[in-house]
Amino acid sequence: MAQWTSAVGTAQLARLITSQQDRPAVPGARKAPAYRTLADGIRLLVLEGRVPVAARLPAERELAVALSLSRTTVAAAYEALRGEGFLESRRGAGSWTSVPAGNPLPARGLEPLPPESLGSMIDLGCAALPAPEPWLTKAVQGALEELPPYAHTHGDYPAGLPALRRMLADRYTERGIPTMPEQIMVTTGAMGAIDAICSLFAGRGERIAVESPSYANILQLMRAAGVRLVPVAMGAGLSGWDMDVWRQVLRDAAPRLAYVVADFHNPTGALASDDQRRAMVEAARSAGTVLIADETMAELRLDPEPAMPRPVCSFDPAGSTVVTVGSASKAFWAGMRIGWVRAAPDVIRSLVAARAYADLGTPVLEQLAVNWLMRTGGWEEAVGMRRVQARENRDALVAAVRRELPDWEFEVPAGGLTLWARAGGLSGSRLAEVGERVGVRVPSGPRFGVDGAFEGYVRLPFTVGGPVAEEAAARLAAAARLVGTGAGGGAEPPRTFVA
């Protein structure tokens, strides 16, 4: 009986492997044999989760033709992977991916590092900061005081607590977009909001246009839903959205949905202008595409310039084309799993009705806490603290990376939580793998792309500062030296670091 549960197509695997090699040669690097390069490439794809465990690989002859290699080279690569525990084979059943005994299963997203690992590992994998105390404690205490009336009910509020829906609607109205509570649904984080939107609008096989690069966890959520991702390239640096390209993609591909992060884009940090936002909404409306505007980074403006543009939904105030997603997780704390959707009332009603077959509702206590923060002014105080911390971390990380890795290229964003860096011609996947062994966890560029794009990039979040940022850059530099010389296999174990 075969042990594989899925299959990787020949063309797909060839694209992923070729993307790893599409980078300038690093001076002084040792050239590995072709079979070793192929084996390392497949192993990295498995470790990063871009090729699933227990996925059947193409036959040796098919992959050899697709990669213009000899069958002997592919056979040797497969044999090397079997020897390392990353491949299993059975006559008549083919070969499928595996992981060696004792290795953790790879993650397809960017899960936070377990707290017990933080003593020896600097975690740059998750773009989230510690809670802004004392405001978390105050918010929970305030929520507990307001809880008793709700405790006498069944506790299920599929659309969200009425008080919080009114609060969120009023905040949009204050921003110049008149909004009724009937246009708001409270969700379990932004991920819950986008999952609900995708489930409503895009069935399996439907197209969704996404920025390229885009937020890794959202891309994986959409892949898991069985949709077809249509990548739209971002401009160089912080230039952001090329509207001629977007118009063409929306017109030709006619995607059911489009997903954009116009406010301090994750991962590049770009900020869309008013003209870009207006043109995006007009293009989506013309194509009959529903535009998901992710505002989770919108309140994290770190520099006084440039001025913040108008919200994307201001160009579609009725919410018929633009569905806006917000969250407390980035602006306040990732542990506060409260998100929301703003859309036309009929869209909200459909989302609420569909929720009966999903999670039923969002925790009441956390909704009360967010409502308390917004009602008392604690939200503005806490977000102000968050901006100061993120700005200090950004400046420390930028200075440290420029000192330790002067050949890395990036532009410093004016807000958000992430830096998108071209890694001096090195493989982002290999940097991520070796980085774990020298004590720094960093997500590679391909996690943020489609079909292996951005192999030469890594994402660096503004989650550490001061001496920790300096140590993180030093460990990244150590990983880069090992990758650059082809000596990553002998990396030293990380030492314990206390800030």
Side-chain angles (χ1 to χ4, degrees):
M1 179 180 177
Q3 300 298 306
W4 50 273
T5 57
S6 63
V8 181
T10 304
Q12 178 191 8
L13 184 59
R15 283 197 305 272
L16 291 170
I17 291 170
T18 302
S19 72
Q20 296 175 328
Q21 302 163 356
D22 188 23
R23 304 181 315 280
V26 179
R30 298 198 301 263
K31 184 173 177 60
Y35 86 90
R36 185 69 260 172
T37 299
L38 177 57
D40 286 348
I42 295 174
R43 176 174 53 83
L44 282 170
L45 292 172
V46 173
L47 287 172
E48 286 210 319
R50 289 188 284 143
V51 168
V53 175
R56 189 175 188 267
L57 296 187
E60 295 169 0
R61 189 188 305 277
E62 295 173 1
L63 188 58
V65 171
L67 293 173
S68 299
L69 296 172
S70 70
R71 184 178 177 183
T72 302
T73 297
V74 177
Y78 277 19
E79 182 60 32
L81 289 168
R82 278 189 287 270
E84 296 165 1
F86 287 95
L87 198 67
E88 296 181 19
S89 303
R90 180 175 298 170
R91 186 179 299 277
S95 300
W96 56 91
T97 57
S98 61
V99 293
N103 276 36
L105 289 175
R108 296 296 292 264
L110 299 176
E111 290 78 7
L113 194 68
E116 62 268 18
S117 302
L118 295 177
S120 60
M121 185 74 69
I122 298 176
D123 186 11
L124 298 182
C126 185
L129 291 162
E133 289 288 27
W135 291 107
L136 174 61
T137 299
K138 289 183 176 182
V140 173
Q141 290 171 342
L144 285 171
E145 292 175 0
E146 297 175 6
L147 181 61
Y150 296 93
H152 293 294
T153 74
H154 51 61
D156 287 335
Y157 295 87
L161 293 184
L164 182 55
R165 295 177 75 195
R166 284 194 300 273
M167 177 63 68
L168 293 168
D170 290 346
R171 290 175 69 87
Y172 277 106
T173 300
E174 290 168 4
R175 295 169 67 189
I177 310 104
T179 302
M180 304 178 293
E182 292 79 10
Q183 290 179 265
I184 300 292
M185 181 177 83
V186 181
T187 63
T188 307
M191 292 287 289
I194 293 171
D195 185 35
I197 295 165
C198 291
S199 298
L200 179 64
F201 286 102
R204 297 189 69 85
E206 294 273 11
R207 296 184 180 92
I208 299 181
V210 295
E211 298 146 327
S212 184
S214 187
Y215 179 37
N217 285 338
I218 292 298
L219 294 181
Q220 184 52 28
L221 181 154
M222 292 176 176
R223 291 188 188 102
V227 303
R228 298 164 61 188
L229 297 179
V230 182
V232 186
M234 294 284 286
L238 299 177
S239 60
W241 297 260
D242 185 327
M243 289 316 307
D244 289 336
V245 175
W246 270 98
R247 290 187 190 94
Q248 180 178 348
V249 169
L250 295 182
R251 181 179 64 246
D252 295 347
R256 188 71 183 90
L257 291 171
Y259 170 75
V260 297
V261 186
D263 299 285
F264 308 120
H265 175 259
N266 186 355
T268 68
L271 178 67
S273 66
D274 276 330
D275 288 343
Q276 287 172 321
R277 294 166 190 243
R278 180 183 296 105
M280 181 75 73
V281 174
E282 290 173 353
R285 185 180 292 118
S286 297
T289 298
V290 174
L291 182 64
I292 305 174
D294 185 333
E295 286 191 337
T296 52
M297 296 283 190
E299 296 196 62
L300 293 175
R301 178 186 177 194
L302 307 183
D303 294 335
E305 298 293 337
M308 283 299 293
R310 294 164 59 189
V312 175
C313 60
S314 69
F315 301 100
D316 178 52
S320 57
T321 296
V322 177
V323 176
T324 302
V325 172
S327 173
S329 297
K330 295 297 185 185
F332 185 74
W333 183 48
M336 187 67 78
R337 304 304 305 159
I338 297 295
W340 52 86
V341 178
R342 181 200 180 275
D346 62 315
V347 173
I348 295 298
R349 285 194 295 269
S350 297
L351 289 170
V352 171
R355 196 171 195 182
Y357 308 101
D359 65 352
L360 295 179
T362 302
V364 169
L365 188 63
E366 293 185 28
Q367 292 187 72
L368 289 172
V370 171
N371 189 61
W372 183 93
L373 284 165
M374 291 180 172
R375 189 183 72 248
T376 62
W379 178 268
E380 284 69 26
E381 292 282 348
V383 172
M385 291 173 59
R386 173 68 78 238
R387 292 193 191 105
V388 170
Q389 184 180 14
R391 184 186 309 115
E392 292 175 350
N393 287 356
R394 179 199 63 181
D395 295 347
L397 185 65
V398 165
V401 172
R402 281 176 171 164
R403 182 177 63 253
E404 298 285 347
L405 295 151
D407 57 334
W408 285 25
E409 302 170 43
F410 54 83
E411 291 190 37
V412 182
L417 288 173
T418 58
L419 190 72
W420 185 238
R422 186 192 295 270
L426 300 176
S427 160
S429 298
R430 287 173 170 79
L431 280 167
E433 182 195 20
V434 176
E436 292 251 5
R437 285 185 263 147
V438 299
V440 60
R441 184 173 183 256
V442 60
S444 66
R447 288 185 178 271
F448 304 87
V450 177
D451 279 344
F454 308 110
E455 182 60 51
Y457 288 80
V458 294
R459 189 194 74 172
L460 306 176
F462 311 144
T463 52
V464 297
V468 186
E470 294 175 6
E471 178 68 13
R475 293 185 186 187
L476 281 173
R481 287 191 294 271
L482 291 167
V483 172
T485 58
E492 291 293 326
R495 64 184 184 274
T496 298
F497 179 77
V498 180

